[in-house]
Amino acid sequence: MPDDDRAAAPPARPRRADARRNYDRIVAAATAAIAEHGAEASLEEIARRAGVGSATLHRHFPSRQRLLEAVFSGKVEALCARARELAADHDPGPALVAWLRAVATHVAANRGLATSLLQGAHDGAVGEGCHAMIVDAGQELLDGARRAGAVRDGVAIVDLLTLVNAICLATEHEPDGAAQAERLLDLVLDGVRPSST
């Protein structure tokens, strides 16, 4: 038998229907709990809301990070789809601006996402895959905006995402956080446009 036949992993078995339902209920309960309490929401509370035991939660998600990735991966996929829509339907500069605003709105609405995404860039806290997906989607928009002359040289997508996340973190607990975030994002966006001199 060739070596690569022995090294091949057996195909993953499909989940039983009850296991799939439990998984879906856990993700839905985690999504709601994280929206209310942030990324540090109690795992026991999530299990209770899902109607499963703690052992069932941990069987599906051996760590908090894996649960966060499951919750946020769908949200990240939606942001990536939005980037593709904007690239197809708008001029490159406005498409990038609209997407960065969508990222900011999304991060603000999902407490803990900003911190988790920033950590994902450094230690895989929410999965390097989610972070890479956002960077790739934003990079395509940034490249288009740069080709159109809507963004000055030297601007990197990672820098823009870091600034958007930092704005969301800084305004997360402010009474007028959304308005303050909007003003700060406007300042950032003004700073990336080419100078008119």
Side-chain angles (χ1 to χ4, degrees):
M1 179 183 290
D3 284 338
D4 50 350
D5 283 345
R6 279 181 270 145
R13 290 184 359 192
R15 284 193 179 121
R16 295 183 337 239
D18 61 329
R20 183 68 206 171
R21 278 191 303 273
N22 285 342
Y23 179 94
D24 292 342
R25 289 195 328 237
I26 292 166
V27 171
T31 300
I34 290 167
E36 290 174 31
H37 305 290
E40 295 302 317
S42 162
L43 294 179
E44 291 76 22
E45 174 64 16
I46 291 169
R48 187 190 64 70
R49 285 182 182 200
V52 300
S54 184
T56 299
L57 183 143
H58 289 288
R59 223 179 356 268
H60 287 284
F61 303 101
S63 69
R64 175 180 298 277
Q65 306 315 334
R66 297 280 287 285
L67 179 58
L68 288 174
E69 187 170 336
V71 168
F72 292 146
S73 65
K75 297 173 186 306
V76 167
E77 289 167 6
L79 284 173
C80 293
R82 183 70 179 133
R84 289 187 296 275
E85 291 167 9
L86 288 165
D89 298 338
H90 294 80
D91 288 336
L96 176 63
V97 168
W99 185 73
L100 290 171
R101 289 188 190 287
V103 170
T105 299
H106 189 74
V107 169
N110 294 282
R111 292 181 52 204
L113 180 58
T115 303
S116 297
L117 289 176
L118 284 174
Q119 288 175 343
H122 304 294
D123 63 13
V126 177
E128 294 168 10
C130 287
H131 182 75
M133 287 170 60
I134 286 182
V135 169
D136 291 346
Q139 188 64 54
E140 289 182 30
L141 291 171
L142 178 60
D143 290 344
R146 186 173 289 122
R147 283 190 301 273
V151 175
R152 66 182 174 84
D153 289 336
V155 174
I157 194 61
V158 172
D159 296 337
L160 292 175
L161 291 170
T162 299
L163 288 167
V164 168
N165 283 325
I167 288 168
C168 292
L169 285 171
T171 60
E172 184 175 61
H173 299 292
E174 297 296 323
D176 66 339
Q180 189 176 4
E182 188 73 20
R183 284 191 308 276
L184 292 171
L185 186 56
D186 285 340
L187 289 172
V188 167
L189 294 172
D190 285 345
V192 301
R193 290 184 180 101
S195 62
S196 55
T197 59

